[in-house]
Amino acid sequence: MVRLISDAKAFSALTFDYLIVGGGTAGLTVAARLSEDPRVNIGVIEAGQFQPDEPLINTPFFFGQGIGHPNLDWNFATVPQKNLNDRVVGVPRGKALGGSSALNFMVYARASKPEYDAWGALGNPGWDWDGLLPSFKKSETVTPGQPNVIPGVVGTPGVNPAFEGESGPLRIGFSTNATFSGDLVAPYLSVLLKSGAHANGDPDSGNATGVFQSPRSVDPATGKRSYSATAFFVPNQNRPNLLVLVGAQATKIVLEKTPAGYTAKSVNIVGGNQTCAASATKEVILSTGSIKTPQLLELSGIGNATLLKSLGIQTLIDLPGVGENLQDHMLLGSDFLLKEPAPPHGVISFAHWLLALDLQLATDLVRNNATFSAEQMLRYNTTHDGIFAETAPIFAFHPLQAFFNSSSVTSMMAQLDTEISKSTLSPLQVAQYALQRQFIAEGKVGQLESGMQPCIPYSSVFEFRILLTPHCFVSGRGGFNNCATIARAELHIDVCFIGATIFKGNRRESGSQFPVTIFHDTPGYQHINTTDGLAAPLIDPRYFSFSFDSQLLEMGVHLVRKFSQTEPLASIIETPSTPAPNITSDTAVADYARLMAGSVFHGCGTAALAPQNIGGVVDPNLRVYGTTNLRVVDASVIPMLVAAHLQPTVYAIAEKASDLIKQASPPPH
């Protein structure tokens, strides 16, 4: 019997040992691990629904299309960003069983060892590379990729058992020669490598810099997304001690004062037209993510006393760090028209289809050729590869020194030092900045990211929306859905500074490059402004508050232009498109950055793992300061944003947290 219900009253009539608020990436991981002990009862509260047959979740080719979908996405948005021309930037977050692991782009790459060691250096014993590596491995089963898929990267990825898991629930694989686009990759990587980048055949080993074939959370056996709902819930959905409530939103944690601190007793929930409370005898675990978790803490009386008082909320625990320390990665795009002519139209196998420059042919085939579409879907359903199994195959993380001389880096840091000295920083920010500055100076940690991914407009045959321009990532609350549709094929080469999208429309190919900053020197905040637990909070990342992020993106535009003029890319590219060819001065590029820069959706840090006296919210056991049994297990505890996509890091946090929770309440002998 599947233990999943939508009746909030029936759920609240039960008593659980552990209540987990949020059935997302971390929440379902913790639920699966705790329910391994049949003597404890686990309840999970999830606002979204379980959607096991949703192609927008399952089919890799459709990545990004769930953004803005009301059944999959919370559709949060920032307040107007004064340094981005007062634009509102969309903040997508997964609203389904599986959370953002059902919505993300399936990138599964870790950060470098020094970045996790920095967490420990902030005053968090056990939260460093050595302390997290077993948890990374525990969550995953890595299927090795094919050798020599990426030009310049020698060897077979995913074959080092010292760093890759072999028996975890998540199925991790790599793009193969049957799911990979390469003719455009080779010239791009050639320019990247000759410009100062290096190849890395084993990024999971603790050095995640350089160009590498990215692991991805796609099950090689099925060609489908592997995420927390399929990896951690489905195999355990018949456990009698695990019950998941869907379609219900938590609005408050009810706490009781005890001599040892405040104890979480129950969780108020709203499900449908029902309002009720579910009880926990051991612990309440918040796993609602970097936006909802601080919101719930503040609604429950835990947060900055001044803010809570202004809203008429009784302050139980004055914890000013709640909702602060919001960190994110930023990106900026550049487009280039590609030269004609296109290859012959007769080649339509998947490999040649994406290798060819005539992406318009492929687009037309997918959109208008029912036979071709059916063939590709049959291939996907039969051999689990081809067009519909593709995701972003290449990523790279580079220190600034890979592309910029030491005097440029020194000048940027000097300017930032001056701005920092004139700013009022929290003790946590002071500690973070010292570590970040060291990373930049040593050049051992990525500050720039590059990646490649194909994005082809969806066919009406499959009844999905036309793919939208990448700038829709940053345009507003609705993510992709708030932008004008553009019927054109795209191949993204995202670069944390350097990135490119190759697409073709109206018989003219073009390419886009997306600079993305890894360094984030301006933590923002997320706070409530109402006592309504169902209302969205205020989100202010404070983009471009310091010059460093804007300088990185602006330098990235100039760098991308330089790449486009370097062979062998120069022979492919005809002219810049966006920004326009006449946008070349620093001032013009800065204006462009304010108009077009946006988020990579890696927000974290709003319930930081750090000592309380420097602004932390949770201790090394992930227990909220001042409480006896309330923990936070999600991306909000990340104290410093890392140079990586966050998915594997969040799984590792959840695995480690599960062990800590079990150790705190060992089974009787």
Side-chain angles (χ1 to χ4, degrees), residues 252-264:
K252 183 180 180 180
I253 311 302
V254 179
L255 298 120
E256 180 180 288
K257 190 173 184 179
T258 70
Y262 281 91
T263 297

Side-chain angles (χ1 to χ4, degrees), residues 36-260:
E36 291 172 346
D37 182 353
R39 291 166 295 190
V40 297
N41 291 314
I42 317 299
V44 179
I45 302 167
E46 168 55 40
Q49 299 291 335
F50 182 34
Q51 304 189 53
D53 302 317
E54 174 55 70
L56 295 183
I57 295 176
N58 295 333
T59 307
F61 180 71
F62 297 145
F63 69 88
Q65 293 307 296
I67 292 176
H69 195 296
N71 294 332
L72 301 175
D73 186 359
W74 282 97
N75 276 315
F76 295 124
T78 70
V79 299
Q81 295 297 287
K82 68 177 183 179
N83 298 312
L84 299 181
N85 294 349
D86 287 326
R87 285 188 291 119
V88 170
V89 178
V91 183
R93 286 295 181 272
K95 188 180 182 181
L97 195 65
S100 291
S101 71
L103 195 66
N104 65 30
F105 290 13
M106 291 160 279
V107 181
Y108 205 81
R110 303 170 193 165
S112 293
K113 181 179 184 296
E115 299 178 87
Y116 297 115
D117 288 344
W119 295 8
L122 287 172
N124 303 305
W127 290 90
D128 53 17
W129 172 263
D130 291 338
L132 283 165
L133 181 58
S135 300
F136 277 114
K137 296 174 62 178
K138 185 178 181 180
S139 67
E140 64 189 23
T141 293
V142 178
T143 298
Q146 295 177 341
N148 307 319
V149 170
I150 298 178
V153 179
V154 179
T156 302
V159 296
N160 191 339
F163 300 108
E164 275 108 18
E166 299 179 300
S167 58
L170 283 165
R171 297 300 186 258
I172 307 302
F174 299 84
S175 290
T176 66
N177 288 315
T179 61
F180 183 71
S181 52
D183 272 6
L184 294 172
V185 174
Y188 182 80
L189 292 185
S190 175
V191 170
L192 203 62
L193 294 172
K194 73 168 58 175
S195 298
H198 68 276
N200 184 349
D202 193 10
D204 282 345
S205 64
N207 175 13
T209 63
V211 180
F212 56 85
Q213 187 176 355
S214 174
R216 60 189 199 141
S217 51
V218 175
D219 187 344
T222 65
K224 294 182 178 181
R225 178 194 296 264
S226 181
Y227 67 113
S228 64
T230 56
F232 288 94
F233 172 68
V234 171
N236 308 307
Q237 62 186 340
N238 294 317
R239 286 179 179 171
N241 64 332
L242 173 61
L243 182 64
V244 176
L245 171 67
V246 294
Q249 188 169 339
T251 57
K252 183 180 180 180
I253 311 302
V254 179
L255 298 120
E256 180 180 288
K257 190 173 184 179
T258 70

Side-chain angles (χ1 to χ4, degrees), residues 359-435:
L359 295 179
Q360 180 65 52
L361 166 64
T363 301
D364 290 344
L365 286 169
V366 172
R367 296 177 60 209
N368 303 320
N369 188 322
T371 300
F372 178 77
S373 298
E375 288 173 351
Q376 285 299 318
M377 185 55 73
L378 177 62
R379 174 175 179 170
Y380 177 65
N381 291 331
T382 304
T383 61
H384 314 304
D385 57 19
I387 296 169
F388 294 102
E390 179 61 290
T391 60
I394 304 171
F395 283 87
F397 294 84
H398 318 282
L400 298 184
Q401 289 85 347
F403 303 117
F404 306 110
N405 59 43
S406 59
S407 62
S408 296
V409 177
T410 300
S411 175
M412 292 174 67
M413 292 307 300
Q415 173 65 26
L416 183 55
D417 286 341
T418 298
E419 295 175 15
I420 291 289
S421 68
K422 297 178 181 179
S423 303
T424 301
L425 303 182
S426 70
L428 178 57
Q429 290 173 326
V430 171
Q432 291 170 335
Y433 179 61
L435 290 164

